[in-house]
Amino acid sequence: MNKKFLLILLFIIILFAIVFYFLMGNNSKVSTTTTNIIPKRTYRNLTNNFIMIENVSFFDPYLLNVNFSDVSGKGYPLVNDIKFLGYYQDNVGKYIYVIENNDINKYNSKDLISQRYYILKIMDYQLIVLDTNEGTIKLIISNSYGGNQL
């Protein structure tokens, strides 16, 4: 081998050693401390109503089982912009009447209210719905049960 090739090879090895030293050895010596002020926010604990599910399969449907006894006393949040007026049942199905944006709307019990709320249970004074955007159970109550008056 000639001397020129050996000098270039030696230079490349020294260069890799210096780069390796700065990348690996220098990281442990340098420490920077930054302080970020993050505003505190309180969030509602959604885990109170969760049940652990085991052996979930993509191909098997999951049955949502909700205990509807005294749902209003368990602190479920209310849907404030929709008020429940009532329902009626005929041979075809149940129909729900609600007030949205000062308009009276009629929904089938299988439809989504406002393209968001799936009806789980219909009671005389309230609807128990599943909020499909948040995945939480909410209540739509009537005026006679404490909703806002028109």
Side-chain angles (χ1 to χ4, degrees):
M1 291 189 179
N2 61 18
K3 290 183 183 182
K4 196 176 201 182
F5 180 72
L6 288 175
L7 285 175
I8 292 173
L9 185 63
L10 183 62
F11 178 73
I12 291 174
I13 291 173
I14 291 172
L15 185 64
F16 278 128
I18 291 171
V19 170
F20 182 76
Y21 171 75
F22 280 111
L23 289 178
M24 296 299 188
N26 223 7
N27 287 341
S28 62
K29 296 177 185 175
V30 176
S31 68
T32 58
T33 306
T34 59
T35 305
N36 293 334
I37 299 173
I38 300 172
K40 292 183 180 179
R41 296 181 183 171
T42 52
Y43 294 99
R44 184 169 43 96
N45 187 4
L46 299 175
T47 59
N48 292 339
N49 300 321
F50 286 174
I51 299 171
M52 292 301 293
I53 302 171
E54 297 179 6
N55 301 328
V56 176
S57 172
F58 179 74
F59 300 104
D60 294 332
Y62 176 73
L63 176 63
L64 178 65
N65 188 6
V66 180
N67 185 4
F68 294 114
S69 63
D70 193 29
V71 172
S72 59
K74 293 192 186 232
Y76 289 107
L78 300 176
V79 179
N80 291 324
D81 53 343
I82 301 173
K83 298 301 168 203
F84 178 59
L85 288 179
Y87 71 97
Y88 79 91
Q89 182 174 1
D90 62 5
N91 295 337
V92 179
K94 286 187 180 179
Y95 298 96
I96 312 301
Y97 288 94
V98 295
I99 299 176
E100 301 173 280
N101 301 326
N102 294 328
D103 294 330
I104 298 175
N105 295 324
K106 174 185 171 183
Y107 292 100
N108 190 328
S109 64
K110 303 294 183 202
D111 295 339
L112 290 178
I113 298 175
S114 297
Q115 298 178 349
R116 179 176 179 175
Y117 302 105
Y118 179 75
I119 300 170
L120 296 175
K121 184 164 177 90
I122 303 168
M123 303 169 87
D124 291 337
Y125 54 89
Q126 70 184 5
L127 292 174
I128 302 170
V129 294
L130 175 66
D131 187 345
T132 57
N133 289 353
E134 296 178 8
T136 58
I137 296 175
K138 295 185 176 183
L139 300 176
I140 299 176
I141 61 174
S142 69
N143 291 340
S144 62
Y145 192 65
N148 296 332
Q149 296 296 324
L150 293 176

